[in-house]
Amino acid sequence: MKIISVVGARPNFMKIAPFIHEINNYNKTTANPIQHILVHTGQHYDDRMSQTFFEQLNIPTADINLGVGSGSHAEQVGHTMIAFEKILKKEKPDWVVVVGDVNATLACSVTAKKEWIKVCHIEAGLRSGDITMPEEVNRLVTDRLSDLLLTPDYLSNENLKKEGVTDDRMVFVGNIMIDTLEANRHRAEKISIKEVLQNNYFDNSQKNTLNIENEHYALITLHRPSNVDEKEVLEPIIRFLIDEVAVNQPILWPIHPRTQKQLVQFGLFDEVQSHPNIILLQPLGYFDMLRLNMGAKIMLTDSGGLQEECTILGTPCLTLRWNTERPVTLKEHGGASVLVGNNVNRIREEYNEALQKQRAPIRPPLWDGQTAGRCLQAILNYNQ
Ligand code: UD1
């Protein structure tokens, strides 16, 4: 059997790593090894957004890099499709495996189906219900086309059933990102906060970070276009961070390239960067982010992956979105996260409540660190 797996952007790397390790393990025990080719579309290309994760998570260098880079959605998807079609015609794999919901996921699943190649989607069935999110478009199209839909939770199976997907096309396998978390948490635990900060300062400014301790800082990430692309939305969030969060505790903020660009454009960057209690960091590697999450008093984020990691680690999490494709992480399902959108009154109310909370880890069904094995087994079982 020949499988091509695809990655494109940062959140894909922690999902593909355990799957590749599983194929390698399987190949050691069989007379019919799987031939595996890893394709990186190149959507994320900075070392800190890509290469670092390959090194830390032991992902082999991609066999093929399409070098697509930045651009509008149509440019990214179009360039990926043109380049990926050539790979498929040459390699003729039995399966294309895509993960998550980034532009690479969409582009490569469409291209594969037009070449009559079977598609397997890992992390199928998530739905935010918000079609204005580029990721929701990517999820809908990918799931509509995929032959095998591997879901992270029961709610995703329900979503797919409502869309007419039959049981024989979907398998509940659990959350593959948690395989990576479980495989690396001991390593992350050993890192000190001081080390993380020293290795990742955004600039050379000398801020007083010596006394930053576990459970005494807020951790922030922001990158969604809906939060950072308009000044009317981003500015009030920044004011809240400066006037109400940074007065009580230091804020550690690994800043996404998109957000940095927008802050500069809106004339907000200098105030954020020079604030004594806001510690801007470069985009963090996997271990460092996990370490900071393990010790944060509170997380404020618009990332889906961090919402999930907060659930397992128990970090109280304010999700700066109005909806989520990952409801299993919300407190109404027992999780650590609460949706606060980008309205400051709502953020404030939940922030004050979350500050009173203790860390409370929970583990949704099959978020057990063994999902990659179930993914590979589902592919091997297909049509048998
Ligand atoms: C993408 C994904 C999103 C995911 C996020 C995680 C899609 C539609 N979106 O959004 O689901 O949560 O990644 O990071 O696929 N840039 C750099 N260096 C890089 C990569 C990007 O400077 O290595 C810049 C680009 O020039 C662009 C901006 O960052 O201006 C955004 O990058 P882009 O790939 O368009 O999407 P993300 O916002 O990162």
Side-chain angles (χ1 to χ4, degrees):
M1 182 189 288
K2 193 184 217 182
I3 297 179
I4 291 188
S5 308
V6 177
V7 290
R10 185 171 59 179
N12 289 163
F13 308 137
M14 37 290 222
K15 295 171 193 166
I16 213 65
F19 182 69
I20 294 178
H21 301 325
E22 198 60 39
I23 291 180
N24 291 340
N25 289 339
Y26 174 81
N27 282 350
K28 285 182 200 146
T29 63
T30 176
N32 286 318
I34 293 168
Q35 196 188 338
H36 180 252
I37 296 173
L38 180 62
V39 172
H40 189 333
T41 67
Q43 178 179 343
H44 283 177
Y45 45 84
D46 287 347
D47 281 355
R48 281 176 172 269
M49 301 292 284
S50 178
Q51 184 55 28
T52 306
F53 291 83
F54 277 68
E55 285 162 16
Q56 295 192 339
L57 303 179
N58 248 326
I59 306 172
T61 307
D63 299 289
I64 300 165
N65 192 317
L66 306 181
V68 164
S70 302
S72 70
H73 288 273
E75 283 167 342
Q76 285 185 341
V77 170
H79 289 146
T80 303
M81 288 179 72
I82 293 165
F84 193 56
E85 186 185 51
K86 295 191 179 99
I87 310 296
L88 293 181
K89 283 189 187 300
K90 177 162 175 263
E91 299 292 343
K92 301 193 186 320
D94 302 289
W95 285 93
V96 166
V97 173
V98 293
V99 295
D101 55 18
V102 303
N103 285 335
T105 315
L106 166 83
C108 294
S109 53
V110 174
T111 313
K113 280 324 287 176
K114 292 202 171 205
E115 291 296 310
W116 296 4
I117 294 164
K118 290 195 285 289
V119 174
C120 168
H121 184 203
I122 299 180
E123 203 186 75
L126 296 180
R127 295 288 180 270
S128 68
D130 177 1
I131 197 70
T132 65
M133 278 177 76
E135 293 84 356
E136 184 77 349
V137 177
N138 296 346
R139 289 182 205 113
L140 283 165
V141 175
T142 301
D143 284 347
R144 182 68 186 82
L145 295 179
S146 292
D147 299 271
L148 183 56
L149 297 145
L150 304 180
T151 62
D153 52 47
Y154 282 119
L155 301 170
S156 299
N157 287 58
E158 295 303 318
N159 292 337
L160 292 172
K161 275 185 201 163
K162 276 186 225 147
E163 291 171 16
V165 177
T166 47
D167 281 336
D168 56 332
R169 278 176 60 209
M170 57 178 137
V171 183
F172 168 42
V173 291
N175 189 337
I176 200 161
M177 241 183 54
I178 305 306
D179 290 22
T180 299
L181 189 155
E182 293 302 343
N184 293 292
R185 69 153 82 204
H186 297 300
R187 172 139 192 195
E189 261 159 14
K190 295 196 187 104
I191 308 171
S192 69
I193 297 171
K194 193 172 151 198
E195 245 177 288
V196 177
L197 301 184
Q198 274 172 352
N199 293 334
N200 295 286
Y201 281 128
F202 185 85
D203 54 26
N204 295 323
S205 65
Q206 299 295 314
K207 295 192 186 175
N208 181 10
T209 56
L210 290 177
N211 300 325
I212 297 182
E213 292 171 18
N214 279 336
E215 310 298 333
H216 286 100
Y217 59 88
L219 184 56
I220 295 198
T221 81
L222 277 181
H223 78 279
R224 298 246 169 226
S226 55
N227 281 331
V228 305
D229 282 5
E230 283 165 45
K231 190 175 183 187
E232 298 68 41
V233 175
L234 185 55
E235 192 166 24
I237 296 176
I238 299 297
R239 288 260 67 83
F240 173 75
L241 294 176
I242 290 176
D243 298 339
E244 302 185 49
V245 180
V247 287
N248 297 325
Q249 56 186 331
I251 296 178
L252 305 185
W253 186 354
I255 194 153
H256 189 285
R258 172 190 287 278
T259 310
Q260 183 197 343
K261 278 182 207 163
Q262 296 304 107
L263 286 173
V264 170
Q265 191 184 323
F266 301 150
L268 295 165
F269 188 72
D270 290 344
E271 190 183 358
V272 170
Q273 192 182 18
S274 60
H275 194 288
N277 232 8
I278 300 181
I279 322 298
L280 287 188
L281 302 169
Q282 308 265 7
L284 297 179
Y286 186 79
F287 303 138
D288 287 347
M289 191 66 201
L290 188 55
R291 172 63 187 89
L292 291 191
N293 194 352
M294 285 171 167
K297 174 68 188 155
I298 185 166
M299 170 80 78
L300 292 96
T301 188
D302 58 10
S303 147
L306 284 171
Q307 249 175 275
E308 296 180 330
E309 288 165 348
C310 285
T311 300
I312 292 291
L313 299 174
T315 318
C317 173
L318 302 189
T319 301
L320 278 83
R321 297 174 50 187
W322 294 112
N323 48 54
T324 177
E325 62 289 339
R326 294 165 162 91
V328 78
T329 64
L330 296 179
K331 68 177 179 193
E332 44 272 42
H333 289 274
S337 161
V338 49
L339 292 178
V340 294
N342 46 30
N343 172 299
V344 168
N345 291 334
R346 171 123 184 85
I347 300 174
R348 176 183 301 114
E349 200 178 303
E350 293 291 345
Y351 172 73
N352 289 330
E353 196 168 313
L355 281 185
Q356 311 307 318
K357 291 215 183 100
Q358 298 302 316
R359 185 169 285 282
I362 70 145
R363 192 175 292 278
L366 297 193
W367 290 29
D368 58 359
Q370 308 294 322
T371 291
R374 291 186 285 268
C375 291
L376 184 57
Q377 201 53 53
I379 293 174
L380 294 169
N381 290 346
Y382 189 87
N383 269 354
Q384 266 184 359

